[in-house]
Every structure is written in structure tokens, then in C-alpha cells.
Amino acid sequence: MYLLSFILLTVTCLPTWADSVRMEKVWSLSKDQKGRHLFLMPLEAVEDDHGNLLILDKGGQVQIYNGQGNLISILDLRVKERCCGEPSDIALDGKGNIFLCYPNIRLVQGFDYKGNRVYRFPSVRGTPMQIAIDSHGNVYLNEVGFKAKYILCKYDLDGNLLGEFGEPAEPVAVARRTSEDFRRIIAAEGFIGIDSQDNIYFAFRASYILRKYSPSGNLIWEVKPELSLSQPKEGAYFPVGDMEVTPEGQVFVLRVKGPSMDIWNPKGKLIETFRPPEHYFGFCLGRQALYFIENIGYGKIDKFILK
């Protein structure tokens, strides 16, 4: 077990929280005491009901740390289940089972905390990029591909498709010579969140359109923040890096440019914007903490508490 040093650092959030709220850095996960890197590339993270942080590393390994930043266990699901897939997202159900979605093999798997597989089913419409689970155990996937007409598919735990909803959104910053197939795929990509009432939230990666759906899939509201993006010479620019939702329905959206964090209330009104202390590319919301993910240069997780 690695014992990470306890680091305290006070950071003032900018610009709108400067006079009222501070973030205090509690610890940073990057290397062990021997200087070895802990992660290949941390992709996503989720906090469980006990305050433990589960980190999905590139390749399929899940590392579990307690609230003090000490390693509890490592689940190497690639070896245990002989699965050659590369998971892209992680979610927990109400029983604490760990769910992963695998884009390259179009698969969803659920595991207990010992790494035993308890659920397994294929995605039907396309490539599963993101996953979320409601209070009834229903699984929501953001599936993209040529056969996927909607952005969200709803499954039960037996893998039965219960419904699909949500129209794609035209990306805002795409090179002129980009193929229509590429445009179609990125027009459906985004991030999923679910509140305690089982409302579903979706933030598009390539357009920063934020939507809220009812549990039955009806659109409740949609917001389109103004963006000033230049057209890239090739490929596409993704303005949204990540999105998370609190149980009460507050939505945190990480903008790549800046970067900056927007906070929306449950009715779709922007209430706060602040600048993270470093350039992060993802994050995770905990009950008493905010975890930022840096997976481009250093491969680290920083834990902050809001003061």
C-alpha cells in the first residue's frame, strides 16, 4: 500500500468565487514513495458511498483509494476476466458494483469490489463511450456510430434495450475538409450525468450544448452558451472536457479553453464560473470533494475541498 504525503495548499477560485469560496488542495496522486508513476493515464474517476475514490486507468485497471489518498486495492480486470477491451468510462450502481463500458468491443461489464464479473451485455446501436446508472439500476450509454440515431440508449441489467432518445448536435469547430462520417460521430459524443430524481443530463463535447431530460426521456431544457472558437485547419476542437451532476441537480461543466468550470442550477441557469488552479482535462465530483484529473502531461489526480 502506498502512503501518499498529505499536501495542503490554499487556492483562490477565479473569478466569481474570489470573494466567497476557496478550494483547498488536500492531496495529489501521481507517484509512489519510490518515485514510480501510479497511472498509465487516468481516464475517469468516481467516488463511492464510503468516500473512496475509484480511478479508471488506461487499459482497464481500476485503482481504489480511501479519502486520505491511501491505496486500498487494484482491480486488474483485464487479466481476471480475460477481456481485451479498453474501457472508456466508469460508473457505480446503488449496490456499489463497478460498471465499465468498452468502445472497441462494444461491451458493458459490471464487477463487484473483488473484481468478480456480475453483469455483461453488448451495446446495440453503436460504440459505447460514456455510461451512467439510475436509482433503479437502469444503464444509460452514450452510443455513437453510423447506426446510432440518438445520443442515449437505456438498458436494463439483462442488456435489454428499453429506449433511446436525444438528437445529435452539430459540432461548432470542425475543419472544412472533415468527412461527414466524422462529423456524424462527434455530433453524438458527450458526457452523461444523473441526479437523485433520475433526471438525465447530457453535455456535448463538440458543441457545448447542455440538456436535461426527464426519466422517461423527454427534454426538460436545453442551453447553448456562446462560444468564440476559430475553425481548425484539420480535425475538430472539443470545447467541453467533462461534465458531472450533483444529486440535487447542479451541473458542473469543464471547458477546455482556459480552462474554466461552469456551474448550472437544476433549471438551466448559469450560477458560477471559476478557473481551476491548473490545466486539468477531467474531474470527478465527490460529496465533500472535487477531484481534478490531469492525464496529458503528468498523469495525476488532485483532491480539493471547497471552503
Side-chain angles (χ1 to χ4, degrees), residues 44 89-91 101 128-134 139-143 151-154 165 188-195 199-205 210-211 213 240 242-245 251-252:
E44 297 284 352
D89 197 18
I90 183 172
C101 62
M129 301 301 295
Q130 294 281 309
I131 185 170
I133 304 172
D134 67 16
V139 178
Y140 294 82
L141 298 178
N142 170 221
E143 296 186 34
I151 58 174
L152 291 168
C153 293
K154 180 180 180 179
F165 57 93
E189 277 193 64
F191 303 94
I192 316 172
I194 298 180
D195 64 21
N199 296 302
I200 304 103
Y201 302 76
F202 192 85
F204 289 89
R205 288 187 65 211
L210 180 61
R211 293 177 183 168
Y213 295 93
V240 175
D242 207 348
M243 183 269 286
E244 295 279 349
V245 179
V251 187
F252 287 61

Side-chain angles (χ1 to χ4, degrees), residues 56 89-94 96-102 108-111 118-121 131 133 137 139 157:
L56 174 62
D89 197 18
I90 183 172
L92 300 177
D93 68 6
N97 294 311
I98 304 164
F99 282 77
L100 305 176
C101 62
Y102 298 78
V108 174
Q109 294 196 107
F111 304 88
V118 292
Y119 299 105
R120 177 187 175 100
F121 62 86
I131 185 170
I133 304 172
V139 178
L157 291 175

